[in-house]
Amino acid sequence: MTIQFQKDLVNINDLSNEHIEYLFKVADKMKATIENKEKGVLCEGKILATLFYEPSTRTRFSFESAMHRLGGSVIGFSSTEGTSVSKGETLADTIRTIANYVDIIAIRHPNEGSARVASLYSKVPVINAGDGGHQHPTQTLLDLYSIQLRKHQLKGLNVLLSGDLRFGRTTHSLSIALARFGANLFFASPPGLEMPDYIIHTLKEEYNLTPGIANDIREYIHVSDVIYMTRVQRERLGEMEYLQYRGSYVLTNELLKSAKPDAMILHPLPRVDEISKEVDDDPRALYFEQAYNGVPMRMALIATLLGVEK
Ligand code: CP
């Protein structure tokens, strides 16, 4: 390893731009090992714990796939049922216990700040796999990597983040990272689901970036190099509020007529109804390729935090 990383990845700002560019290079190597069907050995004898207090398909499976592809093993849970959390065990005590059994932990939890708490009680590296409506830094890494692979740059790109920006944790960490790399940001969300003020404030005060803000994707779709859609975060809204927003924005082939011919359409997934299924056949629809990139990027991150990447 040529540059020093912090023990944990909790917040995207735990990584500098240099760290992220380094991870792009390692992910390229990991991608090649997957595509060449090479047997991974870097993490032989190492164990990853995936502690998922909230549902997940991509993040948990791609972390587990990544560790298996590195030659390591995985233990963990996909819900707290069947664990001592259901008997009232605290997060701190669970982490202090699990950290004795494994070499690295990936945790998803409904409470904002939970991954930071976990990192403070863990003697092994902790990776935030999503903490409530706060951040999802490994999603940000694979989002940045997906854009870099196609566009070969981040600086100067026009990136439109659309949908539930209030609770869409992927957009919080992504907007900070994109600002750091010099991208231009545009936010489109229904009234009530706007990007939190603290993010807008941080973008302005720390990165001198004033994002374009609209309630309708039409306002910026024609100038966007990347169109990043997100679903309404039902699990963080009351049912009445969810029903109010459900279906209130949908990306369709008709809307995409005004998009750039080389725009990238991304989505962290799962998709509900905010991207019409007809869009899947558009060559600009890259959200499944994006999800695939989660494996080499998480391989890169695990190997790097464990200090076994050469
Ligand atoms: N993108 C993402 O976090 O998806 P999952 O909820 O399926 O892990």
Side-chain angles (χ1 to χ4, degrees), residues 52 54-62 108 129-130 136 138-139 142-143 169-170 228 231 235 267-270 290-291 298:
F52 278 63
E54 268 194 342
S56 168
T57 297
R58 277 143 292 274
T59 310
R60 185 168 69 85
F61 280 89
S62 63
R108 169 169 292 186
H136 194 345
T138 64
Q139 178 70 43
L142 74 95
D143 293 342
R169 58 191 171 200
T170 68
Y228 189 98
R231 73 185 165 92
E235 63 274 35
H267 191 310
L269 303 176
Q290 176 190 4
R298 290 185 170 111

Side-chain angles (χ1 to χ4, degrees), residues 80-302:
T80 55
E81 200 182 323
T83 75
S84 289
V85 177
S86 62
K87 300 178 207 164
E89 184 168 62
T90 63
L91 176 61
D93 285 358
T94 299
I95 293 296
R96 277 191 284 216
T97 304
I98 301 283
N100 286 319
Y101 304 156
V102 303
D103 301 284
I104 188 164
I105 293 171
I107 181 170
R108 169 169 292 186
H109 196 284
N111 294 345
E112 303 184 5
S114 51
R116 183 63 74 199
V117 171
S119 73
L120 297 176
Y121 285 94
S122 175
K123 63 185 180 187
V124 301
V126 169
I127 302 173
N128 181 3
D131 62 328
H134 182 220
Q135 284 215 2
H136 194 345
T138 64
Q139 178 70 43
T140 294
L141 289 175
L142 74 95
D143 293 342
L144 296 173
Y145 183 53
S146 301
I147 298 169
Q148 178 71 27
L149 283 175
R150 287 263 169 179
K151 298 286 185 191
H152 309 292
Q153 64 179 61
L154 299 169
K155 190 175 170 62
L157 289 181
N158 289 339
V159 181
L160 170 59
L161 306 182
S162 181
D164 179 355
L165 306 183
R166 180 173 152 206
F167 294 113
R169 58 191 171 200
T170 68
T171 66
H172 301 166
S173 30
L174 182 58
S175 56
I176 298 293
L178 284 167
R180 279 175 26 195
F181 277 101
N184 305 308
L185 294 177
F186 303 92
F187 299 153
S189 49
L193 295 183
E194 290 96 346
M195 188 62 88
D197 286 343
Y198 81 90
I199 301 272
I200 307 271
H201 180 81
T202 301
L203 294 173
K204 281 186 186 158
E205 297 303 316
E206 294 189 23
Y207 307 109
N208 196 26
L209 192 162
T210 302
I213 295 178
N215 291 131
D216 195 315
I217 194 171
R218 287 176 185 82
E219 194 144 337
Y220 296 115
I221 196 166
H222 59 290
V223 297
S224 300
D225 301 299
V226 179
I227 301 162
Y228 189 98
M229 297 297 297
T230 58
R231 73 185 165 92
V232 179
Q233 300 282 301
R234 182 179 196 160
E235 63 274 35
R236 310 206 196 284
L237 291 164
E239 194 61 12
M240 290 300 288
E241 232 187 332
Y242 171 68
L243 294 175
Q244 173 195 334
Y245 291 119
R246 186 180 69 178
S248 63
Y249 55 91
V250 184
L251 186 66
T252 59
N253 281 346
E254 186 57 33
L255 276 177
L256 283 166
K257 284 181 184 164
S258 58
K260 289 185 175 187
D262 62 347
M264 298 177 69
I265 305 163
L266 299 180
H267 191 310
L269 303 176
R271 174 247 312 261
V272 183
D273 55 11
E274 60 286 343
I275 298 183
S276 173
K277 306 253 182 329
E278 66 189 11
V279 173
D280 296 357
D281 295 327
D282 189 308
R284 295 171 291 185
L286 298 170
Y287 23 92
F288 292 107
E289 179 180 308
Q290 176 190 4
Y292 164 70
N293 289 333
V295 176
M297 179 45 84
R298 290 185 170 111
M299 287 172 77
L301 182 66
I302 292 168

